[in-house]
Amino acid sequence: MGQNTAQTNEQYNEKQVFSMPRIGDAAPAFKATTTQGPINFPADYKGDWVILFSHPADFTPVCTSEFITFASLEDKFAKANCKLVGLSIDGLYSHIAWLRTIKEKIEYKGMKDVEVNFPLIEDIKMDVARKYGMIQENEDDTKAVRAVFFIDPKGIVRSLIYYPLSLGRNFDELYRVIIALQTADEFGVATPADWYPGDDVIIGPAGSCGTANDRMEDSDIDCKDWFFCTKKLDKDLVLDRILKK
Ligand code: BEZ
């Protein structure tokens, strides 16, 4: 019985092993064919934020609703200096046929005639999906889960979100993450729960007793206690700094 359990655990652990970049890691590099031609990632995106995302399969309904939404928001993300790159374990011709069908036939929440202009990677051999831990075998061993990697202009992974096959992504949250990450970089602050531009921001933890005292006495900073300090950050200032004109 003990031996059987050990074998089962070994097999289980073997199945679990997959590589996955984590926050702060360099985004794994790859070259791939896409619906917009070849890409060399992340080198081609130096200087831009990128959302690299996977979806389970072409010609599936949740993915279709997501692609229509991503494509409709492409300009909004571009204004926040953020490019979109998609991926699934499908071939190029499937991708092309699916995107043509979306444009010609599918309407979702009033969005119709939608053209997907960002690259969709063909990854039939799962090379890229494996590098990014997009195949999670206990969910599905031939389809990518809905992974979202937020990659900064230096090619560093700054955040990641994973959703299962059955759950379509929340695009308000994806946009909020891109704006919040850039706000943290631009203003040297952190953003609290459910933060949106215009809400107060968090001043990072005090590193010394002196800093803690200074903060308690600073009239621009609102400290509930020495470790919980916020300040106002004007919405227009945030958006002026982050959004392209
Ligand atoms: C979908 O996109 O609809 C979907 C894909 C794979 C499994 C379940 C749903």
Side-chain angles (χ1 to χ4, degrees):
M1 165 110 173
Q3 202 183 357
N4 283 346
T5 309
Q7 277 172 1
T8 308
N9 285 343
E10 235 166 64
Q11 285 163 356
Y12 180 78
N13 287 337
E14 219 167 81
K15 216 180 164 195
Q16 292 299 299
V17 172
F18 59 89
S19 70
M20 175 168 152
R22 294 180 299 180
I23 293 174
D25 290 354
F30 62 84
K31 290 183 179 161
T33 300
T34 84
T35 49
Q36 301 290 322
I39 60 168
N40 182 5
F41 195 91
D44 289 348
Y45 292 87
K46 206 169 165 219
D48 294 314
W49 286 81
V50 188
I51 291 181
L52 172 67
F53 68 95
S54 55
H55 70 275
D58 297 344
F59 293 102
T60 50
V62 178
C63 299
T64 298
S65 70
E66 289 189 320
F67 261 67
I68 290 175
T69 313
F70 264 127
S72 301
L73 293 172
E74 191 182 4
D75 286 349
K76 184 172 172 177
F77 280 103
K79 282 203 178 86
N81 193 26
C82 178
K83 296 197 165 143
L84 306 175
V85 180
L87 173 148
S88 74
I89 316 295
D90 290 289
L92 183 64
Y93 300 128
S94 165
H95 283 345
I96 292 171
W98 180 44
L99 299 187
R100 285 173 62 86
T101 307
I102 286 177
K103 178 166 166 53
E104 283 163 17
K105 297 194 179 149
I106 313 289
E107 175 174 352
Y108 175 67
K109 286 194 171 174
M111 297 175 273
K112 58 180 179 184
D113 194 26
V114 172
E115 198 158 329
V116 175
N117 294 314
F118 57 82
L120 175 51
I121 295 168
E122 79 157 354
D123 194 29
I124 204 83
K125 292 187 185 157
M126 307 189 191
D127 292 335
V128 181
R130 287 216 168 92
K131 277 190 173 175
Y132 277 82
M134 292 164 169
I135 309 292
Q136 305 206 351
E137 289 170 353
N138 291 326
E139 176 73 341
D140 197 299
D141 56 7
T142 59
K143 293 181 180 68
V145 294
R146 301 181 199 282
V148 190
F149 288 86
F150 301 83
I151 298 168
D152 77 10
K154 292 182 180 148
I156 303 296
V157 174
R158 297 291 299 279
S159 183
L160 49 157
I161 307 179
Y162 278 75
Y163 298 75
L165 270 54
S166 63
L167 176 58
R169 283 164 267 229
N170 180 302
F171 288 80
D172 285 342
E173 176 62 1
L174 304 191
Y175 186 71
R176 192 185 79 93
V177 170
I178 276 292
I179 298 295
L181 288 170
Q182 295 189 50
T183 299
D185 286 1
E186 282 285 331
F187 298 95
V189 295
T191 49
D194 290 334
W195 177 87
Y196 277 94
D199 293 345
D200 293 353
V201 290
I202 300 268
I203 318 284
S208 69
C209 294
T211 311
N213 283 340
D214 292 348
R215 283 186 183 171
M216 295 296 285
E217 282 158 22
D218 187 332
S219 57
D220 289 338
I221 298 180
D222 176 21
C223 288
K224 303 296 179 217
D225 201 341
W226 67 272
F227 69 92
F228 192 92
C229 300
T230 60
K231 70 172 183 183
K232 304 237 166 284
L233 184 57
D234 186 62
K235 179 177 180 177
D236 291 341
L237 181 62
V238 170
L239 299 181
D240 270 6
R241 194 79 70 84
I242 290 170
L243 301 185
K244 287 183 188 165
K245 300 290 168 314

